[in-house]
């Protein structure tokens, strides 16, 4: 009878807390904290109610029961630990979602937003992993045969902890590298990178790997340790604008002023050019050709790539149709 009364009281308290919290949230939600309280209540009402019910049922049983009640109380304790971890994880997810919703949505131009998105998600995943490990350790502590194993998980010490760390050294290394990448300010979500000759935009930064969406829509997935151990190019670390360049080999007799006028016409006619800068220069010379380089700026990496392709196609077509004598030629001298 005592157990039934306590459980019924817990059910009543849970219902009252749910109703009162709903009324309070709706009243406060009219003010400045609606963006936080409403999603927090919607996400945590079920785990919070479950924690109240399971906790009441646990404390309703005798502290030192005998027979089957002892196993029931132990099972309820395990459920209570798991539900408590579930509540904390849901709250962390709400914190991440709310933090993202408070940020501007323009990822291409806001470096501050890209840095915040890069740092928030790995921190949330790390805290979820810590909460999960703590819950597993607490559950193991309740079993007498494996209590030391649970203590070693919680304290990260002992022989078992060392063996686990040794067997998972690669995963742990990637996890710590993910935290280092997130806070080292070397790359952010939305940055344009050049890695192993491939360029693409950072789509996601995880604890163990970084996902890069390449220019041809392929997904390049690299471990986070790659970005702490090897060099890479970041075209948009300080700003989203990218300067693209093309190189064309032409004959020594080519008139660069004429090519510069045509390049200017092509650049100014392109909607991909951001109206900031462009230049045509001779950057190299060989015994057979000279190397002409055209540089033009664009708003982002994708626009810079398309602008480079358009300029290359336009200049080659201009040389082929208007000045074929300026195309590279191989000269030979005959002496009788």
């Amino acid at each position: 009878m005592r157990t039934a009364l306590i459980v019924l009281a817990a059910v009543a308290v849970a219902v009252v807390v749910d109703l009162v919290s709903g009324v309070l949230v709706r009243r406060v939600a009219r003010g400045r904290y609606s963006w936080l309280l409403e999603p927090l209540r919607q996400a945590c009402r079920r785990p919070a109610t479950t924690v109240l019910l399971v906790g009441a049922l646990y404390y309703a049983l005798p502290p030192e029961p005998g027979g089957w009640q002892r196993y029931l109380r132990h099972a309820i304790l395990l459920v209570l630990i798991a539900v408590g971890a579930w509540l904390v994880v849901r709250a962390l997810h709400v914190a991440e979602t709310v933090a993202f919703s408070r940020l501007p949505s323009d990822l291409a131009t806001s470096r501050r937003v890209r840095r915040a998105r890069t740092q928030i998600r790995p921190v949330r995943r790390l805290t979820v992993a810590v909460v999960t490990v703590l819950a597993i350790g607490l559950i193991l502590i309740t079993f007498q045969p494996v209590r030391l194993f649970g203590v070693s998980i919680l304290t990260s010490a002992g022989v078992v902890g060392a063996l686990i760390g040794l067997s998972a050294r690669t995963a742990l290394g990637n996890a710590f590298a993910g935290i280092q990448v997130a806070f080292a300010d070397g790359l952010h979500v939305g940055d344009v990178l050049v890695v192993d000759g491939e360029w693409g935009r950072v789509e996601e930064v995880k604890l163990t790997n970084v996902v890069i969406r390449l220019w041809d829509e392929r997904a390049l997935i690299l471990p986070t340790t790659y970005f702490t151990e090897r060099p890479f190019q970041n075209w948009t670390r300080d700003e989203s604008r990218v300067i693209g360049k093309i190189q064309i080999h032409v004959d020594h007799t080519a008139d660069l002023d004429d090519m510069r006028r045509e390049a200017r016409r092509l650049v100014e006619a392109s909607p991909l050019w951001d109206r900031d800068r462009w230049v045509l220069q001779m950057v190299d010379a060989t015994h057979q050709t000279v190397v002409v380089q055209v540089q033009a700026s664009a708003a982002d990496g994708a626009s810079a790539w398309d602008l480079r392709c358009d300029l290359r196609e336009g200049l080659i077509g201009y040389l082929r149709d208007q000045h074929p004598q300026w195309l590279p030629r191989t000269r030979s001298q005959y002496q009788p």
Side-chain angles (χ1 to χ4, degrees), residues 232-251:
F232 60 93
Q233 298 181 38
N234 190 339
W235 289 358
T236 56
R237 184 176 183 272
D238 298 319
E239 57 181 349
S240 60
R241 182 172 57 88
V242 177
I243 298 179
K245 67 178 181 180
I246 63 171
Q247 290 186 347
I248 298 177
H249 289 256
V250 296
D251 191 75

Side-chain angles (χ1 to χ4, degrees), residues 251-261 326:
D251 191 75
H252 286 268
T253 60
D255 187 351
L256 295 188
D257 291 333
D258 187 279
M259 291 187 62
R260 191 171 287 113
R261 286 190 294 270
W326 293 350

Side-chain angles (χ1 to χ4, degrees), residues 127-170:
T127 53
V128 168
V130 171
V131 171
T132 304
V133 170
L134 290 177
I136 294 174
L138 291 174
I139 289 175
L140 292 177
I141 285 178
T142 62
F143 294 92
Q144 185 65 32
V146 293
R147 178 168 294 179
L148 292 178
F149 182 67
V151 172
S152 67
I153 290 180
L154 292 177
T155 59
S156 299
V159 177
V160 176
L163 291 176
I164 294 176
L166 183 62
S167 62
R169 61 186 183 275
T170 302

Side-chain angles (χ1 to χ4, degrees), residues 44 46-55 76-92 127-128 131-132 134-136 138-139:
C44 298
R46 289 185 179 180
T49 303
T50 308
V51 167
L52 288 175
L53 295 178
V54 176
I76 294 174
L77 177 60
L78 300 182
V79 175
L80 181 61
I81 295 174
V83 173
W86 178 33
L87 176 61
V88 175
V89 169
R90 292 297 296 269
L92 291 174
T127 53
V128 168
V131 171
T132 304
L134 290 177
I136 294 174
L138 291 174
I139 289 175

